[in-house]
Amino acid sequence: MTKPVLKWAGGKRQLLDDLKARFPRDFDATENAYHEPFLGGGALFFDIEPTTGTVNDTNARLVNFYRQVRDNPEKLINRCREFQDPEHDPDESFPFSTTDRSGKDVDSYYYQQRARFNNRPAGDDFDALEEAALLLYLNRTGFNGMYRENADGFFNIPQGRYANPDWVRAEEVRAASRVLERVELYNQDYTYVEEVVSPGDLVYFDPPYEPMSTTADFTKYSADGFDTEDQQSLLEFADSLASEGVHVILSNSGVMYDLYEAESENLLPDTVGATRSINSDGENRGEVEEIIATSVSEESRAGQSQTGLGQFSD
Ligand SMILES: C[S@@+](CC[C@H](N)C(=O)[O-])C[C@H]1O[C@@H](n2cnc3c(N)ncnc32)[C@H](O)[C@@H]1O
């Protein structure tokens, strides 16, 4: 059971038991392949520590981060140890402007690092390790650990307020590195999975959620959103994989229940309650309904087997 390194919008730590209860009973993460095409913070992937499979996300900075965690964990940890507290004065040894892109003063170390992240050099000067270190630092010291970009693609989360933020996460980085080494890591649209999957593999889809309402807009993971048409295509895609004998589990917001029930032939939706770890409105945390749809029949689910064993053990 490895912990996620990053906090990520839509993180699935609260739903882990509900998700694992819907795995096929005979699925063995040390033998069968596992694929997670919308990785984000990867709560389920890191928890089950599969030995083979693929993970993917369209967010290039997130995938660069995981590549560095996988390939250079010690260098990443050492680089992160050099960062200062977010309240510290800006670091004179880095070139920086006293205002950011929107004209606001860069008056703390946090805002300096945010401006550096947003002004990263491209081409030959691109420093993949530095960018990964900055992503982790901003994720652990920014408000609520959110990742959000404005319409121009600039990360725009304000400084958070933490007593003792840990932006190094040495143990988590080392553990995550060992798990990431075993799988292929992609930076593509989720449909890549069609090319790599075989019957008997398990695919967990955790797309950006269709919003419950206009005030709970969870779709803003990055500048490129995931709209209602994308939700429809994903449903057809997942349904077709399931028809080929691939085990499919998919989570989404409660508003999708009717669509899944009406339009999918191979996926059964269930409603589950989950407490959101990140909400766009901090006042409004609490139970929200989500659905988990799966191709795994009730009789062959892992959770079902546990109940069965409990019934018959003495
Ligand atoms: C709900 S989050 C995943 C949360 C994750 N399961 C966790 O526990 O933290 C959805 C992710 O999908 C990514 N994404 C958005 N559109 C995508 C697409 N078309 N293909 C693959 N990934 C996409 C986003 O960048 C985001 O990281």
Side-chain angles (χ1 to χ4, degrees), residues 80-188:
C80 285
R81 288 203 166 115
E82 289 170 16
F83 286 122
Q84 303 281 348
D85 190 83
E87 302 282 351
H88 200 275
D89 288 340
D91 183 341
E92 300 287 341
S93 68
F94 287 122
F96 75 101
S97 139
T98 51
T99 52
D100 70 9
R101 282 178 182 269
S102 50
K104 288 203 193 107
D105 287 346
V106 176
D107 56 1
S108 78
Y109 189 84
Y110 174 86
Y111 286 106
Q112 181 191 22
Q113 306 321 306
R114 193 179 80 171
R116 293 183 58 232
F117 184 69
N118 282 330
N119 291 304
R120 69 202 185 288
D124 291 346
D125 288 335
F126 177 73
D127 183 340
L129 186 77
E130 186 69 10
E131 174 155 311
L134 282 166
L135 178 67
L136 180 53
Y137 179 77
L138 296 171
N139 182 260
R140 303 304 299 189
T141 58
F143 182 75
N144 244 351
M146 289 178 79
Y147 188 92
R148 187 185 62 205
E149 293 176 357
N150 65 17
D152 295 327
F154 294 112
F155 175 82
N156 65 358
I157 296 294
Q159 188 174 335
R161 300 267 166 252
Y162 301 98
N164 279 311
D166 170 16
W167 56 78
V168 180
R169 313 246 325 137
E171 283 320 307
E172 288 82 356
V173 167
R174 289 189 184 112
S177 181
R178 290 190 287 270
V179 183
L180 283 164
E181 268 185 344
R182 308 161 173 178
V183 296
E184 298 294 325
L185 173 58
Y186 296 96
N187 178 208
Q188 296 183 22

Side-chain angles (χ1 to χ4, degrees), residues 19-267:
L19 291 166
K20 288 191 285 186
R22 287 165 177 79
F23 275 35
R25 192 179 308 140
D26 55 6
F27 182 84
D28 179 349
T30 64
E31 280 178 18
N32 303 111
Y34 172 85
H35 307 272
E36 195 167 326
F38 297 90
L39 185 62
L44 185 58
F45 163 69
F46 286 118
D47 186 82
I48 65 167
E49 304 176 340
T51 43
T52 173
T54 66
V55 290
N56 172 74
D57 202 288
T58 44
N59 186 325
R61 285 161 151 184
L62 180 69
V63 172
N64 172 66
F65 173 76
Y66 286 130
R67 281 196 192 115
Q68 296 304 314
V69 169
R70 182 190 62 192
D71 300 339
N72 298 311
E74 296 308 321
K75 282 190 189 158
L76 181 65
I77 291 166
N78 288 338
R79 174 63 194 94
C80 285
R81 288 203 166 115
E82 289 170 16
F83 286 122
Q84 303 281 348
D85 190 83
E87 302 282 351
H88 200 275
D89 288 340
D91 183 341
E92 300 287 341
S93 68
F94 287 122
F96 75 101
S97 139
T98 51
T99 52
D100 70 9
R101 282 178 182 269
S102 50
K104 288 203 193 107
D105 287 346
V106 176
D107 56 1
S108 78
Y109 189 84
Y110 174 86
Y111 286 106
Q112 181 191 22
Q113 306 321 306
R114 193 179 80 171
R116 293 183 58 232
F117 184 69
N118 282 330
N119 291 304
R120 69 202 185 288
D124 291 346
D125 288 335
F126 177 73
D127 183 340
L129 186 77
E130 186 69 10
E131 174 155 311
L134 282 166
L135 178 67
L136 180 53
Y137 179 77
L138 296 171
N139 182 260
R140 303 304 299 189
T141 58
F143 182 75
N144 244 351
M146 289 178 79
Y147 188 92
R148 187 185 62 205
E149 293 176 357
N150 65 17
D152 295 327
F154 294 112
F155 175 82
N156 65 358
I157 296 294
Q159 188 174 335
R161 300 267 166 252
Y162 301 98
N164 279 311
D166 170 16
W167 56 78
V168 180
R169 313 246 325 137
E171 283 320 307
E172 288 82 356
V173 167
R174 289 189 184 112
S177 181
R178 290 190 287 270
V179 183
L180 283 164
E181 268 185 344
R182 308 161 173 178
V183 296
E184 298 294 325
L185 173 58
Y186 296 96
N187 178 208
Q188 296 183 22
D189 183 65
Y190 69 87
T191 48
Y192 82 95
V193 78
E194 199 172 27
E195 310 293 325
V196 297
V197 79
S198 306
D201 291 4
L202 175 65
V203 183
Y204 170 47
F205 292 104
D206 185 21
Y209 281 12
E210 184 77 358
M212 299 292 282
S213 71
T214 46
T215 54
D217 185 349
F218 297 119
T219 60
K220 294 197 170 20
Y221 289 100
S222 63
D224 48 18
F226 199 81
D227 61 21
T228 308
E229 226 171 85
D230 296 320
Q231 296 285 359
Q232 182 77 40
S233 318
L234 170 63
L235 173 56
E236 285 163 25
F237 181 83
D239 201 57
S240 129
L241 286 188
S243 74
E244 290 160 20
V246 173
H247 302 300
V248 173
I249 300 182
L250 197 151
S251 43
N252 215 316
S253 67
V255 289
M256 302 299 278
Y257 188 93
D258 292 345
L259 181 74
Y260 276 77
E261 190 163 54
E263 295 196 17
S264 86
E265 286 178 19
N266 302 289
L267 301 173

